[in-house]
Amino acid sequence: MNSNAGAFTPDSLSVAPRHLEIGGEWVASFAITGYPREVHPGWLQPLLAYPGRVDVSLHVEPIDPVTAANRLKRQLSKLESGRRHTSEKGRLLDPMVEAATEDAYDLSARVARGEGKLFRLGLYLTVHAGSEEDLAEQVAAVRSLAASLLMNAQPTTYRTLQGWVSTLPLALDLIGMRRTFDTSALAAAFPFTSPDLPPADPASVAAPAGVLYGFNVGSQGLVHWDRFAADNYNSVLLGRSGAGKSYLVKLEALRSLYRGIEVTIIDPEDEYRRLCEAIGGTYLHLGEAGVRINPFDLPIAVRPDGRRTAPKDALTRRALFLHTVIDVLTGTELAAEQRAALDRAIISTYQQAGITSDPRTWNRPAPLLADLAAVLTEDTDPVGVDLGARLRPFVDGAFAQLFSGPTTTTPEGHLTVFSLRDLPDELRPIGTLLTLDTVWRRVSNPALCRPRLITVDEAWLIMQDPAGARFLHRLAKSGRKYWAGLTISTQDVGDVLGTELGKAIVANAATQILLRQAPQAIDEIVATFNLSDGEKQFLISADKGQGLLSAGTQRVAFQALASPRENALITTDPAELATSTEPNPVDGHVDLDTAA
């Protein structure tokens, strides 16, 4: 006998008719004697996800085709004989016998065509508890769970030791209570599915990486997910109004900051100001007096060592971008002669500011939109003069506040929030364009390479603008090259899934989160994400904060979970804010280490 076997031998073993005492533990075993007529993939998952300790053991024995055919033939003969006898006596047919006969014929045909094989299956359960009273409660709960799955769990009375051994990883079936299964039913019975996301390294004992989203609705375990370990770093979050989208987005952003990930948020509804100011982020409130973004700024970045760098074609790229800016400001696509006049004016405007193709001149202050309008107005070409006149409302008219001076705030730091709520409707397209351009310049600069998340809340507002939709599509496809992930959050599913660009953005998101959905939109969600009937019903009836996280082939239902400190920073519930005892975040910053 192996001398190491003693390490696996219990200190004591007491055998009773219906339970065992193994050391300080009480166990009871059961054999499944009744099964549902039809099963679906993962039908044993509720047993595997039971919150207590339950061992589930499957013993599978293949039946050779000749024996299987003979047994099926005898079984069909018995069933047909019984049906004829019942018919001859003038009795009503037994529905159970009719169903069994149909199943036998179907199984016999599949076996004859080689589409499946037969197996003998033994399914046994062992319930563990710390005391006899606890064991009785656990046994009742497990038997009720089995009954809800249309399975009959019978205790291994007076064979408790054999039942326990049959559930150990010894490949010994000492009970021998088997049931015939075909290939498809056996495949569905294999316990290779789990409601939990698989860990990145099952052999590692380290804490799970990524962001804690909440707890698993099915197993009560914790749901961790690292977007930067997926094929791409993009995420799409869809849910109806009031389902908890912004709450979850803020929670993910806050916990990403804990990990040292830089976060940029485009906020159309001004929901992130409190969080931004509480943790010392950079807040740009476009539309507020004195807040400006100069579209003529060259994409110059400051390296950690203090050196200023820019792409070799920075001036050319900026000139091309200014064509798009003027298109948005004028509300029309410029004609060829207008573009020619504009191109001459842009080059002349930069030259008047002392900026040429020589990179040494790029550190000089950039010109303003008013300078471009002046150059166009003085142009000898009437086309340029007309274009300069069309820019006047944005230079010295009602809409000049966004362009009336140099850029006021440099979007730098661990968290940057661009608030677009107070932009006038006439300035919202250009404000969105300038915001997206600022974000992209920072993301695509190789001198600032670091993990980033760019969050666009209520993305349907930006998707309505063609320039905004194109930017999101570009970032979704190219962000991974720059170590950046895009987060799209929206309540208007139709505006995202109803366009080709929106579908492309969803298709390029390795992480997809679905919160509660309206019945009117659920069919489109089901078709797009290939949801099952159970997942469809879950999304229709989900509580606030509950959702379905899809990562590749893995899906998990979860409930968002935040600490009281995090909840105080991210909630927008008026009732909670009215009774909050948290200090005003404007009065002082919050230490991220203590906020965790």
Side-chain angles (χ1 to χ4, degrees):
M1 181 177 179
N2 191 335
S3 60
N4 295 327
F8 302 96
T9 304
D11 297 335
S12 62
L13 180 64
S14 176
V15 181
R18 286 180 174 265
H19 68 265
L20 296 175
E21 293 182 54
I22 305 173
E25 192 174 47
W26 296 64
V27 302
S29 299
F30 299 87
I32 303 299
T33 58
Y35 294 85
R37 182 188 176 193
E38 295 182 358
V39 294
H40 55 83
W43 62 284
L44 285 179
Q45 177 178 313
L47 286 175
L48 300 174
Y50 181 74
R53 182 183 171 189
V54 176
D55 297 334
V56 180
S57 177
L58 288 175
H59 295 265
V60 182
E61 177 187 354
I63 302 175
D64 67 90
V66 177
T67 303
N70 292 335
R71 289 183 180 179
L72 283 173
K73 188 181 299 183
R74 288 198 299 268
Q75 185 66 21
L76 282 172
S77 298
K78 291 179 183 179
L79 292 172
E80 284 293 346
S81 177
R83 293 176 65 190
R84 290 176 183 175
H85 182 267
T86 301
S87 179
E88 289 173 357
K89 294 296 184 180
R91 300 170 183 169
L92 294 176
L93 295 177
D94 186 351
M96 300 296 292
V97 175
E98 291 297 305
T101 304
E102 292 177 7
D103 291 343
Y105 272 113
D106 179 63
L107 182 59
S108 178
R110 282 190 279 120
V111 171
R113 290 194 297 264
E115 297 177 356
K117 296 182 180 181
L118 295 186
F119 301 85
R120 299 286 290 171
L121 174 71
L123 177 56
Y124 310 108
L125 312 175
T126 293
V127 181
H128 298 254
S131 64
E132 186 174 7
E133 293 77 11
D134 189 21
L135 179 64
E137 295 179 1
Q138 295 291 334
V139 165
V142 171
R143 295 192 70 178
S144 297
L145 177 59
S148 69
L149 300 174
L150 303 182
M151 293 189 296
N152 184 21
Q154 292 294 334
T156 56
T157 307
Y158 291 104
R159 291 193 292 174
T160 53
L161 180 59
Q162 291 88 336
W164 175 58
V165 172
S166 297
T167 58
L168 295 177
L170 302 176
L172 295 176
D173 181 4
L174 304 183
I175 300 297
M177 300 183 71
R178 304 289 185 91
R179 173 70 177 267
T180 302
F181 273 56
D182 67 330
T183 303
S184 59
L186 178 61
F190 264 54
F192 292 156
T193 63
S194 171
D196 293 307
L197 292 175
D201 183 6
S204 175
V205 296
V211 168
L212 171 63
Y213 284 88
F215 65 85
N216 192 316
V217 175
S219 68
Q220 303 302 307
L222 297 179
V223 177
H224 287 85
W225 179 244
D226 185 4
R227 287 169 53 178
F228 288 88
D231 295 337
N232 61 64
Y233 317 139
N234 301 330
S235 173
V236 171
L237 198 154
L238 305 177
R240 65 183 297 181
S241 178
K245 298 184 306 300
S246 297
Y247 190 94
L248 183 59
V249 168
K250 294 175 190 174
L251 187 63
E252 181 188 37
L254 190 57
R255 291 176 175 171
S256 297
L257 291 170
Y258 300 158
R259 302 178 58 207
I261 298 172
E262 185 178 298
V263 178
T264 301
I265 299 174
I266 300 175
D267 177 17
E269 298 296 334
D270 200 25
E271 295 185 37
Y272 294 79
R273 179 170 187 169
R274 205 159 50 87
L275 172 64
C276 180
E277 294 178 341
I279 62 176
T282 301
Y283 180 77
L284 284 83
H285 192 178
L286 302 185
E288 193 176 56
V291 178
R292 299 182 297 271
I293 297 180
N294 184 10
F296 286 80
D297 288 339
L298 295 176
I300 298 175
V302 180
R303 290 179 177 271
D305 57 5
R307 289 189 301 164
R308 298 166 64 87
T309 61
K312 294 181 179 179
D313 57 348
L315 185 59
T316 302
R317 291 187 183 183
R318 191 68 347 200
L320 294 174
F321 172 71
L322 286 170
H323 280 266
T324 305
V325 170
I326 303 305
D327 281 345
V328 174
L329 287 177
T330 57
T332 58
E333 186 173 354
L334 299 182
E337 59 273 13
Q338 291 175 315
R339 291 198 176 278
L342 177 61
D343 196 59
R344 293 194 306 269
I346 290 173
I347 295 175
S348 177
T349 301
Y350 273 113
Q351 289 177 345
Q352 289 182 9
I355 298 175
T356 65
S357 58
D358 186 353
R360 291 175 296 179
T361 65
W362 294 353
N363 288 324
R364 295 171 180 172
L368 303 177
L369 185 65
D371 300 326
L372 175 63
V375 171
L376 287 170
T377 303
E378 297 171 359
D379 196 345
T380 57
D381 188 345
V383 174
V385 175
D386 176 70
L387 195 56
R390 295 173 65 181
L391 293 180
R392 279 299 163 188
F394 305 97
V395 173
D396 51 18
F399 308 133
Q401 63 177 10
L402 191 61
F403 313 99
S404 59
T407 300
T408 54
T409 306
T410 303
E412 294 179 344
H414 56 286
L415 173 64
T416 304
V417 176
F418 294 86
S419 175
L420 308 180
R421 187 187 66 175
D422 293 332
L423 277 176
D425 292 340
E426 294 80 3
L427 288 180
R428 187 174 289 269
I430 185 60
T432 300
L433 177 65
L434 295 179
T435 298
L436 298 178
D437 172 69
T438 302
V439 172
W440 177 252
R441 284 193 294 167
R442 186 166 177 83
V443 167
S444 60
N445 195 315
L448 302 175
C449 185
R450 66 195 63 168
R452 289 188 181 88
L453 289 181
I454 297 93
T455 298
V456 181
D457 201 356
E458 298 299 349
W460 65 275
L461 293 172
I462 295 181
M463 294 289 291
Q464 292 177 342
D465 179 57
R470 288 195 297 270
F471 168 83
L472 294 181
H473 180 250
R474 177 186 181 186
L475 183 56
K477 296 180 72 70
S478 306
R480 186 180 184 277
K481 302 175 183 178
Y482 301 102
W483 208 2
L486 174 65
T487 301
I488 293 293
S489 170
T490 184
Q491 65 181 356
D492 201 330
V493 176
D495 281 355
V496 175
L497 300 182
T499 64
E500 293 302 321
L501 286 178
K503 291 179 180 178
I505 292 172
V506 172
N508 282 279
T511 304
Q512 300 162 348
I513 301 177
L514 304 175
L515 301 182
R516 186 175 64 217
Q517 300 293 325
Q520 297 82 357
I522 191 63
D523 290 336
E524 189 172 12
I525 291 289
V526 169
T528 302
F529 296 94
N530 193 25
L531 302 180
S532 65
D533 289 339
E535 292 168 337
K536 172 183 176 181
Q537 294 302 321
F538 171 76
L539 292 180
I540 292 177
S541 60
D543 293 333
K544 185 175 182 179
Q546 289 186 348
L548 193 68
L549 189 152
S550 176
T553 59
Q554 302 292 330
R555 287 176 181 167
V556 59
F558 71 96
Q559 170 71 55
L561 184 65
S563 69
R565 186 69 173 115
E566 289 172 324
N567 180 75
L569 291 175
I570 65 181
T571 185
T572 54
D573 188 343
E576 288 190 39
L577 294 176
T579 59
S580 175
T581 59
E582 292 294 327
N584 187 343
V586 179
D587 297 336
H589 296 326
V590 175
D591 187 350
L592 282 179
D593 295 330
T594 60

